[in-house]
């Protein structure tokens, strides 16, 4: 078993979908991709979820894909969180945490914004309501490229 080593955050990673099947983040290539790592115990994630729902709804037609990757080892905890805060965006799961390690997470939630070429453009640690206009502007700029 050899495991590939990726030096930087990229879409070259495999995570699990809601059915436990392995899927590549490359399926979102060509889109502006907002990758968000979250966990059920993360307080700020309760604020980021409604915002991510709004962004997906507002910009999906223009090419935005929000992909929230859950890091709970026990996915039942994630499902409990989602029963209270439903997600209208792409949910993926990485209970092993290997993708989070590759992205070198500094805190929760952490978000990574990729342009249509699959290049990492922005990273954010945490979710701050006062920064919401700036987060949205970053997305708008990439959608216009």
């Amino acid at each position: 078993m050899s495991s590939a080593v990726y030096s930087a955050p990229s879409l070259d990673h495999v995570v699990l979908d809601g059915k436990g099947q392995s899927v590549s983040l490359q399926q979102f290539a060509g889109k502006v991709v907002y990758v968000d790592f979250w966990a059920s115990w993360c307080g700020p994630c309760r604020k980021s979820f409604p915002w991510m729902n709004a962004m997906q709804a507002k910009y999906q037609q223009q090419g935005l894909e929000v992909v929230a990757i859950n890091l709970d080892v026990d996915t039942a905890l994630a499902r409990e969180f989602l029963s209270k805060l439903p997600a209208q965006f792409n949910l993926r799961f990485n209970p092993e945490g290997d993708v989070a390690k590759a992205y070198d997470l500094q805190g929760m939630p952490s978000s990574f914004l990729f342009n249509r070429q699959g290049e990492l453009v922005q990273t954010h640690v945490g979710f701050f309501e006062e920064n919401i206009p700036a987060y949205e502007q970053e997305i708008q700029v990439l959608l216009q490229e």
Side-chain angles (χ1 to χ4, degrees), residues 15-16 36-41 45 49 67-79 81-82 90-97 100 108:
V15 289
L16 302 178
D36 178 82
F37 288 90
W38 67 283
S40 60
W41 46 261
C45 297
F49 262 60
V67 185
I69 302 174
N70 175 265
L71 297 175
D72 284 300
V73 176
D74 178 2
T75 48
L77 296 170
R79 300 203 187 286
F81 177 102
L82 292 165
N90 305 285
L91 284 171
R92 298 292 182 267
F93 300 87
N94 181 226
E96 296 80 26
M108 295 286 264

Side-chain angles (χ1 to χ4, degrees), residues 32 59 62 113-116 121-122 133-145:
V32 171
Y59 297 113
Q62 296 173 46
L113 189 59
F114 295 89
N115 66 16
R116 294 180 196 269
V121 181
Q122 291 286 351
Y135 298 152
E136 185 169 356
Q137 192 177 9
E138 291 168 3
I139 291 169
Q140 288 172 334
V141 167
L142 292 181
L143 288 170
Q144 285 156 12
E145 282 181 357

Side-chain angles (χ1 to χ4, degrees), residues 6 11 25 29 37 42 48 50 64 104 128 134-135 139:
Y6 301 103
L11 299 179
L25 294 177
F37 288 90
C42 159
S48 64
L64 175 70
D104 193 25
F128 302 97
Y135 298 152
I139 291 169

Side-chain angles (χ1 to χ4, degrees), residues 13-40:
H13 290 282
V14 172
V15 289
L16 302 178
D17 66 12
K19 298 184 184 76
Q21 305 293 317
S22 293
V23 289
S24 172
L25 294 177
Q26 280 291 355
Q27 75 177 100
F28 302 109
K31 308 273 193 185
V32 171
V33 188
Y34 184 94
V35 175
D36 178 82
F37 288 90
W38 67 283
S40 60

